[in-house]
Amino acid sequence: MEQLLKFILGDNVLVYVLYCAPPLVFILLYALVTLYMEMKVAAHIQDRVAYMRTGWHGVLQPFADILKLIQKEDIIPTQADRALFILAPFLVFIGTYAGFAAVPFSPDYIGSNINLGVFYIVAASSIVVIGLLMSGWASNNKWSLLGAMRSAAQLVSYEIPTALTIVVVVMITGSLNLQEVIKAQEGGFFNWIIFGGAHAPLWQKIAMTPFTVTAFLILFTASLAEVNRTPFDLPEAESELVQGFNTEYSGMKFAVFYLAEYANMFLVSVVAVCLFLGGWQSPFGSAMSGPFWGIFWIVAKGMFFVFLQVWIRWTLPRLRVDQLMYTSWKVLTPFLFVCIFAVGLILVL
Amino acid sequence: MIESKLLPTEYVTKPGHIKTSTGKTLRTDEMIINMGPQHPSTHGVLRLEIVVDGEIVVDVIPHIGYLHRCFEKHAEAMTNYQQVIPYCDRMDYLASMNNDWGYALAVERMLKIEVPARVEYIRVIMAELQRIASHLIAVGTFGIDMGAFTPFLWAFRDREKILDLFEMTCGARLLYNYIWIGGVSHDLPSRFVEQAKEFCTYFRPKLVEFNNLLTYNEIFVKRTANVGVLPKDVALNYAVSGPTLRGSGMNFDLRKDDPYGVYDKFEWEVQVGKGEMGTLGDVWDRFIVKVREMEQSIKIVEQALAAIPEGNVQQAIPKRIRPDANEIYVRTESPRGELGFYIMSDGSSSPYRVKARGPAFVNLSVLPEISRGCMIADLVAIVGSMDIVLGEVDR
Amino acid sequence: MTAQELHDSLKTKFGDAIVEAKLDAPQPWIRVAEGRTQEIGFFLRDEPGFEFDYISCLSGVDYNDGRLGAIYHLYSTSQNHKIVLKAICTKEANRIQSVADVWGGALWHEREAFDLIGIVFDGHPDLRRILLPDDWEGHPLRKDYKVPEFYNGMKVPY
């Protein structure tokens, strides 16, 4: 894609600006679709229909929601710390958006093909923690502060399982660069890392599968916690803290928090998909694969996991904060150590 | 500009030692958090002043009275005992039939009126259907407090069918003014029995679905087991009643121990908590008692529908109620516990003193005892499990 | 135990603290001295054979002849018998001894009686208004209660 743009526009800064635009455009469009999907999925799980009036079966509702949020009054509490209050939502969004730079949407398109790839993504999404703490503190509200502190503790604890699953993948593929990791999964469904990767002989694949599947499930669970979704949504627990760190935000700033949450949901889904489920590789081997098919596959797989996250949100109750911590430190992390050890052993033998 | 003398100025201006509203001085690492009066999870206008040390609750002081509507003073001003019944509806607005029946029963015992058999059966059917509706709200909103949004909507879907039955009979969906002194206001319409039987067959599998989704869910059990344990002797001392008391293992149900109506003609069992998932008397026990009581109520309704006799429902309604100077205390089992009415008459046709003993009022008083040392999230669970309705707490 | 037996045992133990009784009423009641309700309460709760462990209700009444009363409805879950106690005081000397130490269920009931009728319970750990705002004046359920014109600058009757 870079070559194409250079051919059209010449060697120009505009080329690079346009090159970086697709993720942003994608996030905005995707947020509208996910808003609609979340409400409809929630409604059908709860045995009701939602949104039948705006457009056919409510497809125009997300636009209506955005319009409503844009025209709302922007209230800042008098005692709030103005600078931090205004900066916080944008920091949360920046943390997520920065991660999109290293996500390979297609064999030909990756924002920044650095060798640190997934490590960079995990590091950049930690900026979200600062944003959340800022919003809780700057709101000058005891409940927001409680929510923000819980959230910070949760996010930091669940980075550990996330990072450790990356170790499992790195052991199999030998590289942190997401394009390399995906290229190591070519050849169809059974060559995906969740089954052991393309370069492993059959006995290794069979031996490794239980451990890689466990590692994938742990990654998915930890990423639910990273995004503050039920069952880990204590920071925004409606029933206790009104809206947690979000309480004092209204209008556009609230919309930015929401957008950041959805973008984060997609980011963690797509990272899990790239690491374990083949990224833009087609499950049928060489059929239906290519640069444009790649975009389709990665977006489809990512959206499937976003759908799964939405489904889980409307089914399960939420964990209490100490149970959350317990799960991270005493359940997920030891399991992952076992997985790492086992995968390493199998690779060496 | 309203001059408010209520807010103690030392909270706001002076640094240093802070006092709670009961006068206790805090240590410097404790914080007072106010939950309510408007809050998504306090089930009405209840203000909880929580003294926390980090995330652990050190003390909780409930403040009530935001919904006080002077029921007792109004009852004294009425010129007729029947006129008090709409006020009774509005006390515990989620279980109006049971409130009406409690008051009507008290006046009937004072006047020594015998109601026809058909009226007794209708009253039992209505009260048990109302019990199911009230418990559905209780378990649904408890699910929301725990973060499970779906069971709430399933519960309300089922409750709609019960409200359809009530609307068919007396025209109202929430506040019925149906059970009058000496009878009921309208006879059952012709389709009632058939539709009620359909509801009974519809509802049983829904309860199973509900249990699978929420009650035995691992996360829900971890949130509710061993939380807010209410020992049996503390419960009896604090006069706790209803599912809250039965969850602590005490087999005490006024429908069996102090019978009224025709409850003794039906076969059903009192549900008692057994400490299945944790300690006896924890939040999970109180929850499962409510769910199982709904099953038993369906059983009673089916038996009553099969055996309901014919008769004129309005023949025993007295034209003039003028009891002699007398006093009586009568208690019935509402979905929340022991609903008692103490009525004193002085010989005239308007009541001299009507005191309503609301079960939620007494159940709420045990909250500070059982919630010391829990976390804020647990406090929400405990308040939700006690199933309070502020209309009854404040009257 | 019948009401007659209860009354006789109480009379032998407490003598003239048991002021009067009406045992042939549909719900027999015993009037006790207002300064000794706690003692009698402990006896009723702890003595085997009585075991009144459950206080169903505690109501405050204004008798409209200068007297205020507190009515206690007690129930025993183990022996399955009930009794009604009454403690009557005057409007001027409106003190009754509290039974909050005997039965925790009386805590909020006594606060309500204090709030609405104006009976002061001696020995109650936390006697303040419960249903009305803390700075309300007057006790509404009294028969001679006049609704105040203004409360904190707001007009009360509308």
Side-chain angles (χ1 to χ4, degrees), chain C residues 135-149:
Chain C
D135 56 351
W136 191 268
E137 277 151 22
H139 297 281
L141 270 181
R142 289 201 181 171
K143 297 290 179 187
D144 58 354
Y145 175 72
K146 294 239 171 334
V147 180
E149 271 290 306

Side-chain angles (χ1 to χ4, degrees), chain A residues 46-47 150 314 318 320, chain B residues 55 146 150 153 157 378:
Chain A
Q46 293 165 355
D47 202 13
R150 282 175 173 175
W314 297 104
R318 73 170 68 96
R320 205 174 56 200
Chain B
E55 185 90 20
M146 293 293 106
T150 307
L153 286 143
R157 172 198 60 193
D378 294 333

